[in-house]
């Protein structure tokens, strides 16, 4: 998971991009970057390891100033954690430095496409990340094979299979596009005051989530549709230049469960409201089972706050913030190694002093991937005096890896793939453990058939094995 942002056609677009990236820092904390078309018409990029506030400083933003800008916060998945894999990725065209791209997601047929571009087209890659592959593939069609960009883009994207929400600066234009399944989100907005009946490109903003729009004075207008390619050009309306053939949609349900900020509208759902309903559904499963004055519902903050609130409201049990979170540690799930995740849990959470003795705790978490963090928390809460800890999970058991940009690559690391639920409870020292069922989401989500649940049921719309013996690049120029 990563976050992207883009602003077109206003002075100091880079500052607005930096503000949006800061608001979407929860989507990736490993590295970040920005690419801007400057006053000389060159597209220049800066990226570094670290947080937005530390990387995109006043000096950097002053140097990378311009009217067209895109940016990225990175959470590493398949490619390794280093500066080469930070984004956006700038590519020099024959005529000069006029192109940069950033993307959120994961290209499932990455190996086949890269191999083709290296062997057949003679390209040299400088990183292992998807944005470089995407940029070079687009350049292959547009520059090497001289296809106008509005035809080259759909041709190139037609070769890419996987999840992507992406932004591209090419000379004085910006393009925004999503994969046909709509796996990763991207919304479009407009700076207030620039809104016209017909939406002009100038003043248009894009982001993985709309939670940063209010801060920069933008209003969310709509999603970039799955399979849609939008073109922005100075003084022109925003245009849809192509739409991929209709396919089943597969929005990532984990965006609603964990990734997105509660104040975002993701896939047309209010994230905080979905989480409250998840909590209510969990409470329904416990009706008449967990009763008593000594019970309290506490979240694993912050992503489970609204789930626990929904549980407490539906059950009539008291809600308590029994765990204190240090907000300067970051999200443990998106730390790249187990060691950093373990250290993160210890540094991140602390039980409220004198809160737990004599209490039975319903501990609500959004998901269990490896189980190690929750195990530490259950032990921490019992160590603080709780009589019992009952764990309730706002998602089904994660049993399969994600191929679409989430770091759950090895089935052997997924605790629900290794142990049955009672044994997971025992491993965590929990007095009971209950998960959501996939069917519970059918009642919560208005279009549940449009969602991906593959990490819970193994039903992948595409997977790497589909491409292993089938290099898929089309040479139909
Ligand atoms: S496999 Fe899971 S995490 Fe990956 S896109 Fe599907 S629902 Fe999201």
């Amino acid at each position: 998971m990563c976050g992207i942002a883009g602003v077109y056609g206003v002075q100091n677009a880079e500052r607005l991009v930096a503000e949006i990236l800061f608001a979407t820092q929860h989507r990736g904390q490993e590295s970040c970057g920005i690419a801007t078309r400057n006053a000389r018409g060159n597209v220049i990029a800066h990226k570094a390891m670290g947080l937005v506030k530390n990387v995109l400083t006043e000096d950097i933003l002053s140097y990378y100033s311009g009217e067209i800008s895109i940016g990225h916060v990175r959470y590493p998945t398949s490619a390794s954690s280093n500066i080469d894999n930070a984004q956006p990725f700038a590519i020099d065209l024959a005529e000069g430095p006029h192109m940069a791209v950033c993307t959120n997601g994961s290209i499932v047929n990455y190996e086949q496409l890269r191999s083709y571009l290296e062997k057949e087209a003679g390209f040299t890659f400088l990183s292992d990340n998807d944005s470089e592959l995407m940029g070079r593939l687009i350049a292959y069609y547009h520059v090497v094979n001289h296809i106008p960009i509005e035809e080259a883009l759909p041709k190139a994207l037609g070769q890419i299979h996987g999840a992507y929400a992406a932004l591209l600066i090419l000379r004085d234009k910006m393009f925004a596009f999503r994969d046909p399944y709509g796996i990763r989100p991207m919304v479009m907005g407009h700076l207030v005051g620039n809104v016209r009946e017909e939406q002009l490109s100038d003043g248009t903003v894009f982001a993985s989530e709309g939670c940063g729009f209010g801060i920069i004075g933008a209003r969310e207008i709509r999603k970039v549709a799955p399979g849609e390619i939008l073109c922005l050009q100075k003084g022109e309306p925003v245009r849809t230049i192509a739409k991929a053939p209709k396919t089943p949609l597969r929005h990532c349900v984990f965006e609603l469960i964990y990734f997105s900020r509660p104040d975002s509208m993701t896939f047309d759902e209010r994230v905080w409201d979905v989480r409250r309903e998840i909590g209510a559904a969990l409470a329904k499963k416990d009706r008449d089972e967990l009763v008593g004055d000594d019970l309290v519902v506490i979240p694993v903050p912050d992503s489970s706050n609204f789930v626990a609130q929904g549980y407490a409201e539906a059950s009539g049990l008291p809600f308590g913030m029994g765990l204190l979170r240090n907000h300067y540690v970051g999200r443990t799930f998106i730390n790249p190694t187990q060691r950093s995740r373990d250290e993160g849990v210890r540094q991140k959470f602390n039980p409220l002093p004198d809160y737990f003795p004599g209490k039975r705790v319903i501990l609500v978490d959004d998901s269990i991937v490896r189980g190690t963090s929750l195990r530490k928390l259950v032990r921490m809460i019992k160590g603080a005096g709780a009589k019992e800890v009952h764990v309730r999970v706002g998602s089904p058991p994660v049993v399969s890896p994600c191929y679409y940009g989430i770091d759950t690559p090895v089935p052997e690391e997924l605790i629900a793939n290794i142990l049955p639920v009672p044994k997971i409870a025992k491993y965590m020292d929990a007095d009971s453990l209950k998960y959501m069922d996939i069917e519970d989401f059918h009642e919560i989500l208005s279009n549940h058939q449009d969602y991906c649940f593959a990490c819970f049921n193994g039903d992948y719309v595409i997977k790497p094995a589909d491409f292993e013996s089938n290099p898929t690049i089309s040479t139909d120029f």
Side-chain angles (χ1 to χ4, degrees):
M1 184 186 66
C2 300
I4 57 172
V7 173
Y8 186 88
V10 290
Q11 277 188 350
N12 298 125
E14 76 291 344
R15 278 161 207 275
L16 304 181
V17 165
E19 291 277 6
I20 299 173
L21 291 179
F22 183 60
T24 45
Q25 185 82 77
H26 59 283
R27 297 184 70 87
Q29 298 149 8
E30 183 227 39
S31 61
C32 62
I34 197 161
T36 302
R37 184 174 193 262
N38 65 16
R40 297 168 63 187
N42 292 332
V43 179
I44 51 174
H46 174 77
K47 47 195 186 171
M49 306 302 283
L51 300 173
V52 174
K53 281 279 180 201
N54 300 330
V55 172
L56 302 182
T57 58
E58 179 57 38
D59 286 352
I60 292 294
L61 292 176
S62 296
Y63 187 78
Y64 290 84
S65 182
E67 294 188 1
I68 307 172
S69 187
I70 58 174
H72 188 269
V73 287
R74 180 166 192 250
Y75 143 70
T77 49
S78 45
S80 45
S81 172
N82 60 43
I83 184 65
D84 293 337
N85 285 323
Q87 299 189 38
F89 199 90
I91 293 177
D92 283 359
L93 305 180
E95 80 241 28
H98 294 157
M99 180 176 181
V101 60
C102 62
T103 180
N104 170 31
S106 188
I107 297 174
V108 177
N109 60 336
Y110 177 93
E111 294 300 337
Q112 289 78 11
L113 293 174
R114 177 168 173 163
S115 166
Y116 180 89
L117 289 174
E118 285 176 330
K119 287 184 191 145
E120 306 298 328
F123 281 36
T124 302
F125 278 73
L126 304 173
S127 75
D128 303 318
N129 80 40
D130 289 349
S131 70
E132 180 178 7
L133 177 75
M134 189 174 269
R136 293 204 186 281
L137 189 63
I138 293 165
Y140 178 59
Y141 282 87
H142 174 53
V143 181
V144 178
N145 290 288
H146 310 291
I147 301 175
I149 187 61
E150 295 195 10
E151 291 167 42
L153 255 178
K155 277 184 188 286
L157 296 180
Q159 304 303 318
I160 294 176
H161 298 279
Y164 54 86
L167 292 165
L168 166 75
I169 302 177
L170 183 69
R171 305 182 188 100
D172 61 346
K173 292 180 183 169
M174 183 188 282
F175 297 87
F177 38 92
R178 280 173 81 199
D179 70 77
Y181 307 106
I183 297 173
R184 297 280 150 234
M186 177 158 54
V187 289
M188 176 169 72
H190 215 255
L191 293 167
V192 174
N194 286 6
V195 177
R196 311 264 194 286
E197 258 178 45
E198 184 181 40
Q199 190 199 331
L200 287 179
S201 298
D202 310 76
T204 300
V205 302
F206 295 95
S208 297
E209 298 178 37
C211 58
F213 282 3
I215 298 163
I216 63 163
R219 193 180 69 182
E220 191 170 324
I221 293 172
R222 69 169 175 94
K223 296 175 292 189
V224 177
E228 183 179 28
I229 305 175
L230 289 169
C231 174
L232 288 81
Q233 193 171 359
K234 195 157 184 55
E236 300 283 326
V238 177
R239 281 184 301 132
T240 300
I241 58 166
K243 265 200 155 182
K246 217 168 161 44
T247 62
L249 296 179
R250 288 289 186 276
H251 305 318
C252 171
V253 75
F254 238 110
E255 289 279 352
L256 301 176
I257 292 167
Y258 176 78
F259 297 129
S260 294
R261 233 172 70 163
D263 50 341
S264 289
M265 288 283 289
T266 296
F267 308 132
D268 288 332
E269 298 280 355
R270 280 189 212 92
V271 175
W272 66 271
D273 206 23
V274 168
R275 291 186 188 165
R276 273 179 66 230
E277 289 195 50
I278 289 172
L282 284 168
K284 222 170 165 184
K285 293 176 189 291
D286 281 336
R287 192 180 290 151
D288 304 328
E289 277 185 37
L290 284 173
V291 285
D293 292 342
D294 54 353
L295 282 164
V296 63
V297 184
I298 74 163
V300 176
D302 289 325
S303 51
S304 311
N305 290 355
F306 285 97
V307 183
Q309 185 190 341
Y311 187 109
E313 284 168 358
S315 64
L317 294 171
F319 172 92
M321 291 299 293
L323 286 173
L324 269 292
R325 180 184 158 183
N326 182 334
H327 286 91
Y328 304 97
V329 175
R331 297 180 112 180
T332 50
F333 175 64
I334 63 177
N335 281 340
T337 65
Q338 186 59 47
R339 193 165 161 213
S340 61
R341 279 191 291 276
D342 286 349
E343 283 169 4
V345 171
R346 277 194 300 274
Q347 293 166 347
K348 187 169 164 183
F349 297 109
N350 211 28
L352 208 59
D354 304 325
Y355 180 79
F356 287 104
K359 286 193 171 71
R360 288 188 297 148
V361 172
I362 299 169
L363 179 65
V364 179
D365 204 355
D366 49 78
S367 56
I368 303 178
V369 178
R370 299 168 181 87
T372 47
S373 301
L374 208 44
R375 182 186 198 209
K376 285 192 170 60
L377 285 176
V378 171
R379 291 182 167 184
M380 187 187 281
I381 290 168
K382 286 196 170 175
K387 288 190 291 187
E388 295 174 4
V389 177
H390 301 269
V391 174
R392 297 295 177 262
V393 187
S395 59
V398 178
V399 294
S400 293
C402 174
Y403 301 123
Y404 313 130
I406 306 304
D407 184 24
T408 54
V410 188
E412 295 73 31
E413 284 185 13
L414 303 171
I415 194 163
N417 191 44
I418 307 164
L419 299 175
V421 173
K423 287 204 169 161
I424 299 173
K426 199 165 173 206
Y427 166 79
M428 291 194 303
D429 202 15
D431 294 276
S432 70
L433 169 64
K434 283 185 189 171
Y435 287 89
M436 287 284 282
D437 297 310
I438 289 177
E439 293 69 36
D440 295 326
F441 285 91
H442 294 187
E443 289 176 26
I444 293 171
L445 301 173
S446 38
N447 296 312
H448 65 85
Q449 70 281 357
D450 293 342
Y451 281 81
C452 174
F453 291 93
C455 50
F456 308 122
N457 63 9
D459 180 14
Y460 298 99
V461 67
I462 34 172
K463 50 188 184 302
D466 298 341
F467 304 99
E468 272 161 16
S469 57
N470 177 27
T472 52
I473 193 150
S474 161
T475 49
D476 168 27
F477 303 128

